[in-house]
Amino acid sequence: MVKIAKGKRPVYLGNPQTDKLLAIVMALAGEVSVLHERLDTIERLLEVKGILSATEIEAYEPDTTVTQEREQWRAEYIARVLRVLQEELETLNQS
């Protein structure tokens, strides 16, 4: 469940739209950074233990179920990233 802050969003860069864009970019940057570190750890452990090589990982082709699960995750992820804009739309629609 996503927590929604109450009250007005502070403006740091003098333009609310620029602040929203920065919030989106920073959310993406944070997600990518965490994912990169975790993926790097997993790939290194798999290779050290002789379970999978980087070449095998690169050659992997997902089946239909995996593809559908990834699409679902991607939709939820994009919703989180664009949450700032969604909140604004909801506020405008309530007016």
Side-chain angles (χ1 to χ4, degrees):
M1 184 169 164
V2 176
K3 294 182 181 180
I4 298 174
K6 296 187 179 182
K8 290 188 177 184
R9 183 175 290 279
V11 176
Y12 299 103
L13 300 175
N15 180 333
Q17 301 305 330
T18 302
D19 278 3
K20 288 175 189 169
L21 180 59
L22 178 61
I24 291 169
V25 170
M26 294 309 296
L28 284 168
E31 291 279 344
V32 169
S33 177
V34 169
L35 287 171
H36 175 76
E37 286 184 14
R38 291 180 63 90
L39 182 58
D40 180 65
T41 299
I42 290 168
E43 287 181 2
R44 289 172 189 266
L45 289 171
L46 289 171
E47 191 140 25
V48 165
K49 293 182 181 227
I51 298 170
L52 283 175
S53 68
T55 304
E56 290 173 299
I57 292 169
E58 292 296 327
Y60 174 74
E61 292 188 28
D63 62 21
T64 304
T65 302
V66 172
T67 299
Q68 289 172 347
E69 289 172 358
R70 288 179 177 182
E71 288 173 2
Q72 175 67 33
W73 178 87
R74 188 177 304 112
E76 292 168 0
Y77 174 66
I78 290 170
R80 285 192 314 272
V81 169
L82 297 178
R83 179 183 54 80
V84 173
L85 298 177
Q86 182 63 37
E87 288 173 356
E88 182 174 337
L89 284 173
E90 290 170 0
T91 300
L92 290 172
N93 288 335
Q94 291 174 357
S95 300

